[in-house]
């Protein structure tokens, strides 16, 4: 069960990392460097968290953070989506993140989060809520970088 859940997690992570390119500014001559660098950060974060969890170094979150992580993330996603929707056509043509790109990446992230939760249920059953909150807060921090 753990192996199957982990394989699904790896597939969801890869899909999210690829979809993440649509929420990275694509303007300028170095847009591909920003995209690849951003994707590498996501890959590194995944590996780091997995190693920490295997060492039983659980997220250091308060009960309140665990309880409200999804709500905080949803609020940030809504405000980011509103900001992106207000872009002019010139900004979009210049490579700014679009609402469609953001929504696509968010759906991919949701599948990634769900795969993490499914894996945590079989591998770290006592820490599922903390891990879900950590993944949500990681996404929250990422959404803060979208301008």
């Amino acid at each position: 069960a753990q192996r199957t859940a982990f394989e699904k997690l790896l597939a969801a992570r890869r899909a999210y990392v690829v979809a993440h390119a649509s929420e990275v500014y694509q303007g300028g001559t170095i847009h591909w460097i920003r995209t690849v660098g951003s994707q590498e950060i996501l890959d590194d974060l995944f590996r780091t968290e997995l190693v920490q969890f295997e060492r039983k170094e659980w997220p250091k979150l308060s009960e309140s953070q665990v309880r409200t992580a999804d709500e905080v993330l949803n609020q940030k996603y809504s405000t980011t989506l509103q900001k992106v929707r207000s872009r002019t056509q010139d900004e979009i043509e210049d490579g700014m993140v679009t609402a469609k790109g953001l929504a696509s990446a968010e759906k991919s992230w949701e599948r990634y989060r769900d795969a993490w939760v499914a894996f945590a249920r079989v591998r770290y059953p006592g820490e599922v809520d903390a891990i879900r909150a950590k993944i949500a807060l990681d996404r929250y921090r990422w959404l803060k970088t979208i301008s």
Side-chain angles (χ1 to χ4, degrees), residues 27 41 54 56 74-75 81 85-86 95-96 106 131 133 146:
I41 290 169
E54 284 299 300
K56 298 184 179 356
N74 290 338
Q75 289 172 354
L81 187 59
R85 282 184 176 147
S86 70
M96 297 297 282
E106 183 71 9
I131 289 171
I146 298 173

Side-chain angles (χ1 to χ4, degrees), residues 58-59 66 119-132:
W58 309 119
V66 170
F119 177 65
R121 279 194 182 112
V122 295
R123 181 71 180 163
Y124 319 111
E127 300 299 327
V128 174
D129 292 339
I131 289 171
R132 179 187 171 100

Side-chain angles (χ1 to χ4, degrees), residues 2-141:
Q2 288 181 25
R3 181 184 192 118
T4 300
F6 188 67
E7 288 170 357
K8 289 179 181 178
L9 173 58
L10 290 176
R13 179 193 57 86
R14 174 60 21 218
Y16 167 52
V17 169
V18 169
H20 169 69
S22 67
E23 58 185 7
V24 176
Y25 173 62
Q26 296 296 311
T29 57
I30 63 165
H31 65 89
W32 64 274
I33 293 173
R34 276 191 301 277
T35 300
V36 170
S38 185
Q39 290 172 322
E40 286 176 356
I41 290 169
L42 289 176
D43 281 337
D44 290 346
L45 179 62
F46 173 77
R47 283 189 292 276
T48 298
E49 288 176 340
L50 189 59
V51 167
Q52 288 173 339
F53 299 160
E54 284 299 300
R55 291 179 179 162
K56 298 184 179 356
E57 296 171 3
W58 309 119
K60 292 174 176 49
L61 301 172
S62 69
E63 285 185 36
S64 175
Q65 288 174 306
V66 170
R67 228 181 16 262
T68 62
D70 286 333
E71 180 182 329
V72 168
L73 171 61
N74 290 338
Q75 289 172 354
K76 184 61 181 169
Y77 176 74
S78 292
T79 59
T80 303
L81 187 59
Q82 284 177 326
K83 180 171 64 171
V84 169
R85 282 184 176 147
S86 70
R87 300 234 159 101
T88 66
Q89 189 60 36
D90 286 343
E91 289 173 317
I92 292 169
E93 289 172 5
D94 183 47
M96 297 297 282
V97 176
T98 66
K100 182 179 176 183
L102 182 62
S104 173
E106 183 71 9
K107 285 186 189 323
S108 186
W109 175 82
E110 289 169 353
R111 287 187 291 273
Y112 171 66
R113 177 209 51 212
D114 293 345
W116 249 123
V117 169
F119 177 65
R121 279 194 182 112
V122 295
R123 181 71 180 163
Y124 319 111
E127 300 299 327
V128 174
D129 292 339
I131 289 171
R132 179 187 171 100
K134 174 73 169 97
I135 302 306
L137 293 173
D138 289 345
R139 177 73 178 149
Y140 168 83
R141 283 188 284 283

